[in-house]
Amino acid sequence: MDKPTPLINHNVVHKKGFALLITLSALAVIIALTGVLISYLDSARQDAMQTKAMIQANLYYNDVKETLQKLKGEKVYPTLYEMALPLSSDDGRFSLLLTCRPLANGVNINWLGYGNNSDMNMQYNVAENVFEAIVQHYNLEDATKLKEMILEEIGGQEKFVIKEQSRLRQKNGIISFKQFEAILSRYQFEADDPKVAMVPWEKFFVFNEMKTDKKGKIIQGDLIDGEYISAELISVLFDMELATVRENWIEGESLKTFVNENGGVFDRAALFAKEFLPMSYCEVTYKYAETQYQFKFVDIDGEVKNFEFYGKQ
């Protein structure tokens, strides 16, 4: 008697199930690869946009540089210190905002490294006093360690800042706030002191290169642009109540007159420039493809330089 034909061919079912499993697996791989590809293409598109924006920044930088070099800094910069300069075309395709600030409106952090230089006694003592005032006011945990780290960097031994992080490491000293921030980050980690991040360092110190002539005499970086210093620094330098200074101080006016008329004693005249100091830094914010980007540069003695692209804002 013949055996009845089975209603279900299990071999066929297993083969179909296996084929379906392979299909689903292949589909999952395809979906994953598609996601990776889309992510890569989007990243490439963003990189391309960033590159185009940087090229545009260079074009704007050259235009701004050419314009500023045609003008005398002592005439244009005091105005730029007081207000940002917006520039735009009638059709709206071109738009940028130029903002500038003094580059020497504080105590140069590098003065801390001039303790053995008799010509820099006043600068060194002032830097020491400001540093100690900060340590006491913000109750920093290990001022000795922080100062040692700062002095190591001023000495150019590059112990605390990775060489590749600075674009001008061939120059000794601390010459940018970004460089100084790396020191603060390292100190905060090693000393477990989060309070150091609460200090408004830029209200007290500036981070500029010290320049000397062939005989070793300092010719740049030893003076303060007193008309544009912060209320916080005035309070420390002249032992004045911060609230009083904040209420009455107006940048751009005579510091000597302000101190004498508000109960202070202007006893460090040699520390402040008697004329306009041609040292400024500027930020340019501009729109490209409906996105805001930014670059920065400095103008020292009429030389516009140190272009830095900061990307999307």
Side-chain angles (χ1 to χ4, degrees), residues 189-208:
F189 174 77
E190 293 189 6
D192 190 22
D193 186 4
K195 295 189 292 295
V196 74
M198 305 300 293
V199 180
W201 294 98
E202 290 181 288
K203 291 184 179 295
F204 300 97
F205 290 104
V206 294
F207 311 89
N208 306 324

Side-chain angles (χ1 to χ4, degrees), residues 266-279:
F266 193 76
D267 56 354
R268 293 190 175 100
L271 196 64
F272 299 94
K274 295 179 175 59
E275 300 177 349
F276 175 80
L277 275 180
M279 300 175 64

Side-chain angles (χ1 to χ4, degrees), residues 39-263:
S39 175
Y40 172 78
L41 291 175
D42 183 60
S43 177
R45 182 188 63 80
Q46 292 182 14
D47 289 345
M49 185 64 69
Q50 186 89 339
T51 300
K52 292 179 180 178
M54 184 183 296
I55 293 172
Q56 190 64 53
N58 271 284
L59 293 174
Y60 287 157
Y61 168 66
N62 288 327
D63 288 340
V64 173
K65 176 180 179 179
E66 183 178 348
T67 300
L68 290 176
Q69 288 180 332
K70 289 180 179 179
L71 302 172
K72 289 188 177 181
E74 59 185 298
K75 292 184 178 180
V76 66
Y77 280 112
T79 301
L80 292 177
Y81 292 166
E82 294 181 5
M83 65 176 72
L85 178 63
L87 300 170
S88 62
S89 60
D90 294 335
D91 58 9
R93 298 179 62 183
F94 160 76
S95 175
L96 64 79
L97 185 68
L98 174 64
T99 305
C100 297
R101 293 291 299 160
L103 196 59
N105 60 336
V107 172
N108 195 317
I109 192 71
N110 294 291
W111 293 355
L112 287 171
Y114 283 84
N116 296 322
N117 188 325
S118 59
D119 294 333
M120 292 285 289
N121 278 339
M122 179 181 292
Q123 285 84 350
Y124 171 74
N125 290 331
V126 164
E128 279 278 310
N129 292 341
V130 172
F131 183 79
E132 289 301 323
I134 290 173
V135 168
Q136 293 179 18
H137 183 78
Y138 290 91
N139 193 27
L140 300 185
E141 296 291 338
D142 195 342
T144 300
K145 174 184 280 292
L146 177 57
K147 188 176 179 181
E148 286 177 353
M149 296 173 76
I150 292 172
L151 291 178
E152 286 283 354
E153 188 66 14
I154 290 173
Q157 298 181 33
E158 302 177 5
K159 182 177 179 181
F160 298 104
V161 177
I162 299 173
K163 184 176 182 180
E164 287 72 21
Q165 289 182 344
S166 176
R167 57 182 169 75
L168 295 173
R169 295 301 302 133
Q170 69 271 23
K171 299 176 184 288
N172 289 338
I174 300 173
I175 58 176
S176 73
F177 184 62
K178 182 183 292 186
Q179 184 183 352
F180 185 65
E181 280 184 313
I183 300 171
L184 297 179
S185 297
R186 183 69 179 271
Y187 163 79
Q188 182 173 342
F189 174 77
E190 293 189 6
D192 190 22
D193 186 4
K195 295 189 292 295
V196 74
M198 305 300 293
V199 180
W201 294 98
E202 290 181 288
K203 291 184 179 295
F204 300 97
F205 290 104
V206 294
F207 311 89
N208 306 324
E209 179 189 2
M210 305 286 294
K211 282 190 175 182
T212 59
D213 59 18
K214 294 181 179 179
K215 296 181 180 181
K217 182 180 179 180
I218 295 173
I219 57 175
Q220 179 183 296
D222 59 334
L223 295 175
I224 298 176
D225 192 345
E227 295 186 355
Y228 295 96
I229 67 176
S230 68
E232 287 80 2
L233 184 54
I234 293 175
S235 176
V236 172
L237 290 180
F238 301 102
D239 194 24
M240 300 172 65
E241 289 291 333
L242 180 56
T244 300
V245 180
R246 282 177 171 170
E247 182 178 354
N248 299 312
W249 172 239
I250 300 175
E251 286 190 8
E253 296 191 351
S254 169
L255 176 63
K256 179 179 180 180
T257 300
F258 172 81
V259 171
N260 290 335
E261 291 181 353
N262 286 273

